[in-house]
Amino acid sequence: MNIVKISTLLVIVGLISSVGISPSFAYWDKTEYPEIKGTIPVESEFNSEIAKISLIDAMEIAEERISDYKSMYGKLSSINGFLVYKIVVSNEDHQYKKVLVDAGNGEILYVTDSKNQDSNKRKRFSDNKQNNKYDNKMKDYFKGMTPEQIAEKKKQFKEMGEAWKSLSIQDKAAMIMHFMQLKLQWDMMSEEDKQKQKEEMKEKWKNLLTLTPEEKKQKLEEFAESVK
């Protein structure tokens, strides 16, 4: 895989974070789950090839089960010693739920209650390190902008989130899986190469934001097709 594609995938990560459920990613692994029992026992380290269903299957199952919610993101994980897919679903009011789908038979093992951005903002304020890191990044991003420019940027972020939400499950899954594969390559890069790719990512992200809503969706669809 071409290392340049990493910067493109970082753009994808950025747009996922612009969806109204971004707090769910920050606190992804902090959810406390009940004692679920799946069909594929695993250790904390596992080979994804042992999953019997795909990420697409899991996202479709979650979306079918939770009416009026769209599958937004997912990954394989070990919960209580069993292999599951953690799927985030979100509705039009930017409420979200996490769904545990058995990676063996596709059975839904657990669904969290609905949460929204406000509840997670309060949670972030109870964790000073996470809160400060997030807020400082946002302050740096908007630094020097007028209120009008900030409003325009937030509008562009919202459009990116809506573009992601409107994609098919197949397109979302293709980009998520591709990013997971490239993440290992990113972790092995030198700090110099990482910085170079970050700068390229910022430029790509800037160009994506200024597109019309229709163009944003088209660019995402084109990229998804290129990595399938």
Side-chain angles (χ1 to χ4, degrees):
M1 297 180 185
N2 193 313
I3 211 169
V4 175
K5 282 193 174 181
I6 292 177
S7 61
T8 307
L9 262 295
L10 289 175
V11 171
I12 302 302
V13 175
L15 73 91
I16 293 174
S17 298
S18 72
V19 180
I21 59 170
S22 58
S24 69
F25 301 110
Y27 286 90
W28 179 270
D29 292 316
K30 294 193 176 185
T31 300
E32 294 184 5
Y33 298 103
E35 290 292 327
I36 58 97
K37 186 175 182 179
T39 59
I40 303 179
V42 293
E43 302 294 336
S44 57
E45 298 290 332
F46 56 84
N47 188 332
S48 61
E49 293 181 359
I50 65 177
K52 302 299 183 183
I53 67 171
S54 68
L55 175 60
I56 292 175
D57 294 331
M59 292 175 75
E60 288 177 342
I61 290 168
E63 194 168 295
E64 289 171 3
R65 168 71 176 272
I66 315 299
S67 59
D68 299 325
Y69 278 72
K70 293 282 189 180
S71 290
M72 305 299 291
Y73 186 80
K75 71 171 185 177
L76 275 172
S77 186
S78 173
I79 299 293
N80 296 334
F82 293 97
L83 189 64
V84 302
Y85 282 98
K86 292 180 181 178
I87 306 297
V88 170
V89 296
S90 176
N91 64 13
E92 292 300 320
D93 295 325
H94 300 301
Q95 295 175 323
Y96 72 89
K97 298 181 180 185
K98 296 180 187 179
V99 185
L100 298 187
V101 180
D102 189 287
N105 60 14
E107 178 184 353
I108 290 184
L109 302 175
Y110 182 70
V111 181
T112 67
D113 293 332
S114 295
K115 293 186 178 181
N116 54 40
Q117 286 194 50
D118 290 338
S119 65
N120 278 281
K121 285 178 181 177
R122 288 193 294 272
K123 183 174 179 62
R124 285 211 307 275
F125 276 106
S126 68
D127 186 337
N128 289 333
K129 290 183 179 179
Q130 287 288 342
N131 178 63
N132 290 339
K133 184 177 180 181
Y134 176 83
D135 287 345
N136 287 339
K137 283 185 177 180
M138 296 308 298
K139 288 178 181 178
D140 288 342
Y141 185 83
F142 292 123
K143 186 176 181 179
M145 293 186 187
T146 65
E148 291 76 17
Q149 289 172 328
I150 292 175
E152 177 62 23
K153 283 297 178 185
K154 288 183 176 181
K155 173 175 174 289
Q156 293 172 348
F157 281 133
K158 183 178 180 180
E159 290 174 350
M160 288 298 293
E162 293 303 319
W164 174 264
K165 185 180 291 188
S166 68
L167 296 177
S168 69
I169 287 178
Q170 290 76 12
D171 283 350
K172 292 174 191 170
M175 286 189 276
I176 292 168
M177 292 168 63
H178 192 58
F179 168 71
M180 294 300 182
Q181 294 170 353
L182 289 182
K183 185 178 183 298
L184 293 176
Q185 188 175 354
W186 172 263
D187 290 341
M188 292 185 292
M189 291 172 61
S190 68
E191 290 303 316
E192 182 179 352
D193 286 339
K194 285 182 180 179
Q195 186 59 39
K196 180 180 179 181
Q197 294 302 318
K198 286 179 181 179
E199 293 302 320
E200 291 184 10
M201 179 270 288
K202 288 180 181 179
E203 189 62 26
K204 291 176 183 292
W205 178 238
K206 178 180 177 181
N207 293 335
L208 273 175
L209 282 177
T210 57
L211 298 176
T212 66
E214 294 76 15
E215 290 172 334
K216 288 181 173 71
K217 181 179 179 181
Q218 181 181 352
K219 288 295 183 182
L220 295 181
E221 290 175 334
E222 290 175 354
F223 184 80
E225 192 62 33
S226 73
V227 299
K228 286 181 180 178

